[in-house]
Every structure is written in C-alpha cells, then in structure tokens.
Amino acid sequence: MLKHIHLLFVALVTFGFLGRVALAQYRPEMLQQKWIKLSPHILAGLLLLTGIGLVFQGNWLANSYGWIVAKLILMFVFIGLGLMTMREQGQKRWIAFGAALFCLFYIVKVAFTKQAFFFL
Ligand code: HEM
C-alpha cells in the first residue's frame, strides 16, 4: 500500500518536472502561478516521507542500507539538477535536464536492484 503511494509520487514528481520544463520553455509566464510554484516542493516532500516510511516498514536498515543512502543523496542531486534546469537557459538548460533524467533513471535502477553500484 505505502509502496504504491510512493510509486504514485514518483510518477507525479516525474511528470510534474517534465511539465514544468515544458512550461519554462514555451509558457514561462505560467510558472508564476502559485500552485505551480508550490506543488513540486509538496510532491518531493511527500515522496521523501513515503520513502522514509517504507524504510521503517521494510526494516531495511537491518540489512545493507547503502542503496537507501544512495537514493537519498541522488534525490537531492535530482532536485538540484531540476532547479538548474528551470533557472538556466539554452544549452545549459538541456544539459541539466539530461543529467536530471539520468539521475531519475539511476534512482529507479537502485530502487529495483537495492544496489548503489548495480552495474559492478
Ligand atoms: C526520486 C526519488 C525516488 C524514486 C524515483 C524512487 C523509486 C522507487 C521505486 C521504483 C520503488 C519500487 C522498487 C520495487 O518495487 O522493488 C521504490 C521503493 C522504495 N523506495 Fe523509493 N524512490 C525515490 C526516493 C526514495 C527515498 C528518498 C527513499 C528513502 C528515504 C526511498 C525508499 C524506498 C524504499 C524503502 C522502497 C521499498 C523497497 C521494496 O519494498 O522493495 N525512496 N522507490
């Protein structure tokens, strides 16, 4: 149940980010709307909280928890890259955007493999 809520927030954060990048590029004036400004913080906060809830529910700290630390760190890296995507323009924006998407992909791989360095 909690895992499905976590996954719902993963989807909302992902599509919310894609939507805001599209707005930043094509309709930047819409980003001034209060709910569009506020929602990414609320969604990221709830994603983090459901993740922490899952850690306790699954007693994941009892085993090797490197992957959880990796997810936490990468989530903040993703948020930083997301902010850069929104603030930069031109080529810099797309580099940050690509890096943010890669970060998300990496987090999902870590989530499924439970290995921070799943490629080794
Ligand atoms: C952008 C951020 C995040 C993404 C994309 C993400 C993605 C996922 C996905 C896809 C799963 C399902 C894995 C499976 O079914 O095996 C999952 C589960 C889980 N996530 Fe996250 N997550 C994120 C953030 C976090 C954070 C910050 C934490 C910890 C503080 C966390 C802790 C967990 C835990 C404990 C599970 C349950 C694993 C299981 O029961 O198999 N997640 N996450």
Side-chain angles (χ1 to χ4, degrees):
M1 174 66 184
L2 187 58
K3 186 144 131 181
H4 291 120
I5 298 175
H6 186 63
L7 293 177
L8 176 67
F9 285 117
V10 170
L12 290 175
V13 164
T14 306
F15 288 109
F17 175 56
L18 295 177
R20 266 175 297 116
V21 174
L23 287 182
Q25 193 67 15
Y26 301 111
R27 288 283 180 83
E29 71 280 358
M30 279 185 72
L31 293 173
Q32 298 307 320
Q33 291 189 32
K34 207 167 178 192
W35 73 273
I36 296 183
K37 274 188 169 176
L38 211 65
S39 51
H41 305 283
I42 296 172
L43 293 178
L46 290 170
L47 177 61
L48 183 63
L49 280 180
T50 52
I52 292 171
L54 281 171
V55 170
F56 289 108
Q57 194 184 63
N59 203 16
W60 286 108
L61 293 181
N63 306 302
S64 61
Y65 49 76
W67 65 281
I68 293 170
V69 178
K71 276 184 91 175
L72 268 173
I73 294 171
L74 286 167
M75 190 177 157
F76 286 106
V77 174
F78 167 68
I79 290 172
L81 288 167
L83 286 175
M84 269 178 73
T85 307
M86 301 302 291
R87 285 180 188 159
E88 300 291 348
Q89 302 222 321
Q91 199 188 18
K92 266 191 173 173
R93 164 173 285 168
W94 299 118
I95 292 172
F97 180 60
L101 289 185
F102 178 76
C103 200
L104 266 185
F105 162 79
Y106 197 102
I107 297 175
V108 172
K109 281 294 249 188
V110 171
F112 282 114
T113 59
K114 316 262 184 291
Q115 303 268 327
F117 301 106
F118 53 83
F119 47 84
L120 292 181

